[in-house]
Amino acid sequence: MGLTSTVLAIDAGNSKTDVAVVTGEGQVLATARGGGFRPPAVGVEAAMDALADPVGRALSDAGLPAASHVSACLANADLPVEEEQLAGALHERAWGASVEVRNDTFAILRAGVAEPRGVAVVCGAGINCVGMRPDGRTARFPAIGRISGDWGGGWGLAEEALWYAARAEDGRGEPTELVRTLPAHFGLRSMYALIEALHLEHVEHGRRHELTPVLFETAAQGDPVARSVVHRLAEEVATMATVALTRLDLLTEETPVLLGGSVLTAGHTQLDDTLRDLLSSRAPKADVRVVTASPVLGAVLLGLDRLGVRVEARERARAYWEKRED
């Protein structure tokens, strides 16, 4: 695979987009960063327009009109039909001769393993889990909310904390320090005041996610209700990972299980310890790791995998991001 083969790698999340142009030898020609990728909110075409700026800058800096292959790991590509739709939209932009779109959880998985083999669970604003084998087999979940059986994610944890605290204050539920800690975060004195502020949008709707760290802080202080929510999240993550390993016939083999996203990488002691205990009993061969590598590296490696490049090329690309993150 020569220098004429290139990968345009895109890792596009809800808040930011990272782009890289890499040769078939693993040499990084250019990188760029842009804003968030939110097709459900703005529509597919507008979301593609938002990608056009960082993609255009990266291709220009690389001195290329287009790449051989586009490897795009995109937020909100939760179903195969959505991946196909977004791949079609990318193909129309003519940024590469071929296009492959995956959910952005695959980028985190691929960034954390030496070969395309393992399982990743990501818990940030939402929660998702994917797995892959070198033969192309994958395991995944729809991950579109409660209608697809999901529980967890930063947003869901904040909602759960509010539910328990509201019931505790009015007598429907058991006592919990969340009654005090949640409203105090916004300078309020009661859950009623917080409920009113949220309902009337005196506290912006998008700020609810700020309550997730408060939940973990309250759990760390020993509150039984908060601790039960954290334990449930550990159960959910362990369940998703175990199911994915089972689907891929990897449960009895030593296999990386990667943890990513702001919640799972924050170093919450109760969550980390409980999760590792659960996985040690349900999936004793799992090699649990926290992913620290940039997700765009995963998109790069998936693109290089598709081109069938030599191992040395993938190692060269990985070394670039490892050095950059140092």
Side-chain angles (χ1 to χ4, degrees), residues 29 36 51 61 71 78 81 97 138 141 149 180 187 212 214 231 302 304:
L29 299 179
L51 289 184
D61 290 348
S71 172
D78 298 305
V81 65
T138 62
F141 300 86
R180 178 184 60 82
T212 301
V214 180
H231 185 88
L302 287 167
L304 294 176

Side-chain angles (χ1 to χ4, degrees), residues 301-319:
L301 294 174
L302 287 167
L304 294 176
D305 292 341
R306 179 66 176 267
L307 292 182
V309 304
R310 296 176 298 174
V311 172
E312 292 84 351
R314 295 193 292 270
E315 291 177 346
R316 186 175 294 113
R318 183 180 294 279

Side-chain angles (χ1 to χ4, degrees), residues 268-290:
H268 299 300
T269 301
Q270 181 200 346
L271 176 62
D272 295 347
D273 292 348
T274 305
L275 176 55
R276 290 178 186 276
D277 287 345
L278 290 170
L279 284 173
S280 68
S281 62
R282 300 180 187 179
K285 296 283 191 179
D287 177 13
V288 183
R289 312 173 194 168
V290 173

Side-chain angles (χ1 to χ4, degrees), residues 3-237:
L3 289 172
T4 55
S5 296
T6 50
V7 172
L8 171 64
I10 303 170
D11 173 66
N14 285 295
S15 60
K16 66 177 175 63
T17 295
D18 282 318
V19 176
V21 180
V22 183
T23 71
E25 293 295 326
Q27 178 187 359
V28 179
L29 299 179
T31 63
R33 173 164 288 187
F37 181 76
R38 298 181 294 273
V42 303
V44 172
E45 285 307 306
M48 290 294 158
D49 289 342
L51 289 184
D53 173 61
V55 167
R57 285 187 281 116
L59 287 172
S60 176
D61 290 348
L64 297 172
S68 305
H69 177 66
V70 178
S71 172
C73 295
L74 308 177
N76 304 298
D78 298 305
L79 304 174
V81 65
E82 291 172 320
E83 290 177 341
E84 293 175 9
Q85 178 190 28
L86 292 169
L90 281 171
H91 189 74
E92 289 179 0
R93 297 286 170 143
W95 291 330
S98 61
V99 175
E100 184 174 41
V101 170
R102 294 179 183 263
N103 178 269
D104 57 344
T105 308
F106 281 100
I108 292 177
L109 170 56
R110 188 64 184 90
V113 292
E115 61 174 344
R117 178 181 177 278
V119 166
V121 184
V122 176
C123 184
I127 190 166
N128 201 357
C129 175
V130 300
M132 60 170 56
R133 295 185 64 121
D135 62 8
R137 291 170 59 192
T138 62
R140 62 190 298 174
F141 300 86
I144 52 178
R146 291 186 64 84
I147 65 169
S148 60
D150 306 320
W151 186 92
W155 190 266
L157 291 171
E159 293 284 318
E160 198 77 2
L162 287 164
W163 187 88
Y164 277 108
R167 293 173 68 88
E169 183 169 88
D170 65 23
R172 287 177 293 172
E174 60 187 297
T176 170
E177 276 296 297
L178 293 168
V179 166
R180 178 184 60 82
T181 58
L182 296 185
H185 176 74
F186 294 110
L188 301 172
R189 295 186 176 183
S190 69
M191 274 303 299
Y192 184 88
L194 177 55
I195 292 165
E196 181 180 86
L198 290 171
H199 179 65
L200 298 178
E201 297 189 353
H202 297 154
V203 172
E204 293 179 10
H205 185 76
R207 294 191 64 193
R208 295 188 189 194
H209 71 88
E210 296 176 19
L211 296 175
T212 301
V214 180
L215 166 68
F216 280 99
E217 291 167 8
T218 308
Q221 293 165 6
D223 181 75
V225 170
R227 289 182 67 83
S228 72
V229 177
V230 175
H231 185 88
R232 183 179 175 186
L233 177 62
E235 286 271 5
E236 188 70 12
V237 173

Side-chain angles (χ1 to χ4, degrees), residues 258-270:
L258 291 305
L259 306 178
S262 58
V263 174
L264 292 180
T265 61
H268 299 300
T269 301
Q270 181 200 346

